[in-house]
Each structure stands twice: as C-alpha cells, then as structure tokens.
Amino acid sequence: MTTTVTGSRRLARVVSAGVVGTTVEFYDFFLYGAAAATVFGPVFFPHRDGLLGVLLALVTYAVGFAARPLGGLVFGHFGDRVGRKRLLVVSLLLMGSASVLIGLLPGYQQIGVVAPLLLTVLRLVQGFALGGEFGGAVLLVAEHGPRERRGFWTSWPQTGGPLGNLLATAALAAVAAGTSTAEYAAWGWRIPFLASVLLVVVGLWIRLRVAESPLFQAVAEDRREARAPVLEALRRHPRAVFAVFAARVGENAAFYVFTIFLLVYAGSLGIPTAVTTAAVTVGSLAQALAMLGGGALSDQLGRRPVAVTAALGCALWTVIFFPLVASREPALLFLAVVVGLLLHGTMTGAQSAFYAELFGTSVRYSGVSLGYQAATVLAGAAAPLAGTALLRATHSAIPVAIMLICCLALTTLGMAVVTETARSELAR
C-alpha cells in the first residue's frame, strides 16, 4: 500500500513538472508568435506595406523553428547520455532568459537594424531551448507511468502547448485592454515577456523536485547508454523516426494555422485583435481538455484510430474554418477556432504516448526529438509564414486550406507506417 501511494505521488509530481514546465516554455514561445503577428512588424520592421512588415516579423518567428532540430539533437543526445531531468532544467532557463531579454530589447527607431538582428538571435535561443522540451517532458512521464494508462498520462505535458498559448494570448489581450493602442505598441507588449521570469521560477522549483526516469537509471547502471544516440536511432529505427516526423507535420501545421496564422488572416479582414485573441484563448482551454480525452481514448481504442480520425476531422473542418472566419461574425469566429482546436487536441493527445513507444530507452529522447523537431521546421514555421505569403499574393485563404489538408494527409501516412503501439511495454 505504501509503495503504491509513493508511486502515485511520484507520478503526480512528474506529471505536474511536465505540465508546468512545458506551459512556461510554450508561453514564451507563443508569446513571440502572437506578438510577431500583431506588433513586431511596426516595432522592429517598420514599412509602408503593413502586411509586409508582419511577414518580415514572421520570418524571425520561423527562425525559431529552424533552431528547434538543433536543440532536439543536442538535448536528445545529452538526455540519452546523462538523463532527462537535467536537460529539462537547462531548457527552461534558456527559454526564460531569452524571453526577458526580448521584453527589454529596444526597437528599430532606437537602435536601427541592430534591433531585428538581436531579436532574431533571441528567437534562435528560444527555438533551441524548445527543441529539447517535448522529448524530455513527455518521455519522463512515459517512463514513469503505467502501460495501461500511458496515453492519458503522457497527454498531460502536451496540454502545456495550449495552456501556454492561452496564457500568452490572455496576457497580451489583458495588456491591450488596459492600455491605449499607442501605449500597447510603445511598451505595453513588453510586459508579458518580462513577466515570464516569474513563471520560470515556479517551473524550476517544480522540476528540480522530480525523480529521474527509472528506465534511464536502469540503462545507466548497466552502462548501456548509446555513444551516439541520434545515429543509433537512425540506424535501428529509421521507420519510427519517419513515423514521428510525418505524424507531427499535420498536427503541427493545424495548430499554427488555427492560432498564429488566424491572427494574421483575421487582421487582414479587419477583425479586432481583441476578438481573435479571445477566441484563441477559449479554444486553447477546449484544446487542453481534448488532449486529455484523446490520450484516454487512445488507451482504450489505440493510438492510430483516434489520431487518424481526428486528423481527417481536422482536414474536413479546414474547408469550413476559413469561411466562418471570413464572415466577420464573432460567434462564428469562436466556433471555427474552438472546433478546430478540439479536433487538434484530440489528435495530439492520442499521439503523445505513440512517439515514446516507438524507441528503446537508450535512444528514445534522441529519436523522438529528431523526428518531432524536424517536422516542426516544415510545418510550424512554414504554416504561418507560407500562409501569410499566400494570403498577400492571392488575397484568398483557399491555398492555405489546401496546404493544411496536404499536411494532415502526411500525418495519416505517418500513423500508418508502423504497427499499433498502445498495448506494448516500453523497450529497455
């Protein structure tokens, strides 16, 4: 009885550390995306063509995704060599430091071209830090949790994405509501970036109290760590790396189209930023709940049926999503975002344990991070950036919808190329 209680407390602590730490990191990362879509253009890239300034700001936003695979490789390597917990602490510190410095960074009017250059460097640091976050947070939970409920428990750290996005958009909306348009553009947007230091302190306090993965400890005690985990993952599990990559593409693209690109598209239609961010805030809460539901369903029905069904639902909803937003009716905008993020959350929740179950312990961090973050460059960076470019060139959302549907087809392929993993033990 005592052992069971102790194990439950340990799991609860690990899950809490995953949720809080991931929420803080995604808060910082998404705060940048929301600011890039709304205020960074005039602050760091002043230009007569407002949409071009937004596009340039989103280029620096995309740069953060370019750094994520490098972060995934570095954090994956050392996470498989020295442990999951230490690397999660480092990633949190890096992300928080970069965000605070962005909040202190002078704009183009103060220091000229140095401003966007420094902004780009800090965005690279953010991307590098986040590149190691998912692999560590989800795997730490997977390696502590019981097989029969692994899908449910590993879906909890995934909620850090929508919760971080919720906090980021809510913070920006609160500051925008409390300041004039001029005040918000001049200094108000900086407050949420500076406030991230408080969130980082809380995240660190929780993460430093968790235990290292028992599976990793067993590997370390037996001296079975891989010397080059990334190369070993590619050599031993090439199909699994591709499966992670492909499955992640549509999921990631859907999220950024339904959130970051939405801000750009709605802005081009003249919809107030306050309305759009409120819709994303409500949708993010629904998305977090859907992730837990998707994870629980995957324990009962399997990872693949739940994820593929949700991906197909997302593809169908994409056809409906943009006309609803284009109606300029707040109620229809809320409906578009909430349903889109509900479907996305279900898909993501079902995929969490799937990634961890594809690899052995000695290469799990590296294998998951490699496929996961490589897809993030293609989908997460390209979706809002390509979407904005297509919108500027065609003045239509139809090309963006086609792009997203193609990405979701790739997700379906990724889930299909490997066997169902829901009933399997984690390989040591």
Side-chain angles (χ1 to χ4, degrees):
M1 180 67 177
T2 303
T3 302
T4 302
V5 173
T6 301
S8 299
R9 288 177 178 173
R10 183 184 300 113
L11 178 59
R13 185 173 292 178
V14 171
V15 171
S16 298
V19 174
V20 174
T22 306
T23 298
V24 172
E25 293 219 27
F26 275 101
Y27 165 84
D28 290 331
F29 200 74
F30 292 143
L31 192 60
Y32 189 105
T38 56
V39 74
F40 278 0
V43 174
F44 294 102
F45 304 94
H47 197 280
R48 290 182 180 180
D49 182 348
L51 199 55
L52 178 59
V54 172
L55 183 59
L56 291 173
L58 286 173
V59 169
T60 65
Y61 164 80
V63 163
F65 288 89
R68 286 177 69 168
L70 178 60
L73 291 174
V74 173
F75 280 86
H77 173 84
F78 288 103
D80 283 328
R81 294 283 295 165
V82 303
R84 290 42 168 145
K85 174 181 173 180
R86 296 178 187 177
L87 275 297
L88 287 173
V89 171
V90 172
S91 68
L92 192 59
L93 285 172
L94 282 175
M95 178 66 80
S97 299
S99 295
V100 171
L101 290 174
I102 289 172
L104 297 172
L105 186 63
Y108 187 91
Q109 297 298 331
Q110 286 74 47
I111 58 175
V113 72
V114 176
L117 289 176
L118 290 176
L119 182 69
T120 302
V121 170
L122 292 172
R123 182 58 176 174
L124 283 168
V125 174
Q126 281 193 326
F128 181 82
L130 195 59
E133 173 62 28
F134 173 84
V138 170
L139 299 188
L140 196 61
V141 174
E143 293 174 352
H144 274 88
R147 175 185 59 79
E148 61 274 8
R149 300 199 69 195
R150 189 182 298 132
F152 174 69
W153 289 119
T154 55
S155 67
W156 277 88
Q158 286 278 34
T159 65
L163 292 177
N165 193 29
L166 187 153
L167 285 177
T169 53
L172 287 172
V175 173
T179 59
S180 66
T181 301
E183 290 171 337
Y184 178 79
W187 53 265
W189 64 268
R190 298 177 182 275
I191 296 174
F193 283 93
L194 298 175
S196 67
V197 68
L198 301 176
L199 298 177
V200 169
V201 170
V202 174
L204 284 175
W205 179 73
I206 293 175
R207 280 200 165 167
L208 288 171
R209 298 172 68 235
V210 303
E212 181 55 87
S213 157
L215 291 181
F216 173 80
Q217 287 179 324
V219 168
E221 289 171 1
D222 294 341
R223 300 182 181 274
R224 290 188 288 112
E225 305 100 322
R227 290 188 177 183
V230 174
L231 297 179
E232 282 292 303
L234 288 171
R235 183 180 66 82
R236 290 163 46 192
H237 307 284
R239 185 185 292 258
V241 172
F242 172 77
V244 174
F245 168 80
R248 169 70 168 159
V249 167
E251 175 264 306
N252 204 222
F255 178 75
Y256 286 104
V257 167
F258 293 156
T259 54
I260 299 301
F261 176 73
L262 169 70
L263 295 173
V264 177
Y265 181 56
S268 73
L269 297 173
I271 299 173
T273 300
V275 174
T276 312
T277 53
V280 173
T281 299
V282 174
S284 295
L285 181 58
Q287 181 188 26
L289 295 174
M291 285 177 172
L292 301 179
L297 279 174
S298 77
D299 286 328
Q300 301 299 318
L301 306 176
R303 319 300 185 212
R304 186 159 50 194
V306 177
V308 169
T309 300
L312 294 175
C314 269
L316 177 62
W317 189 250
T318 299
V319 179
I320 304 170
F321 178 83
F322 289 107
L324 290 177
V325 176
S327 72
R328 297 180 174 85
E329 290 290 335
L332 295 180
L333 172 65
F334 270 73
L335 176 65
V337 175
V338 170
V339 174
L341 291 179
L342 273 171
L343 290 167
H344 173 270
T346 303
M347 174 172 46
T348 305
Q351 290 177 330
S352 300
F354 168 75
Y355 297 136
E357 291 161 347
L358 293 173
F359 300 92
T361 300
S362 62
V363 298
R364 185 170 292 125
Y365 203 150
S366 296
V368 172
S369 295
L370 178 61
Y372 193 88
Q373 300 304 340
T376 298
V377 176
L378 177 64
L385 185 60
T388 302
L390 289 169
L391 179 64
R392 186 168 181 266
T394 66
H395 303 287
S396 171
I398 293 177
V400 183
I402 294 172
M403 175 189 71
L404 179 52
I405 290 170
C406 291
C407 290
L408 288 164
L410 190 56
T411 284
T412 302
L413 175 63
M415 298 297 299
V417 297
V418 292
T419 59
E420 177 60 56
T421 61
R423 307 291 183 264
S424 62
E425 294 286 352
L426 290 180
R428 294 177 181 270

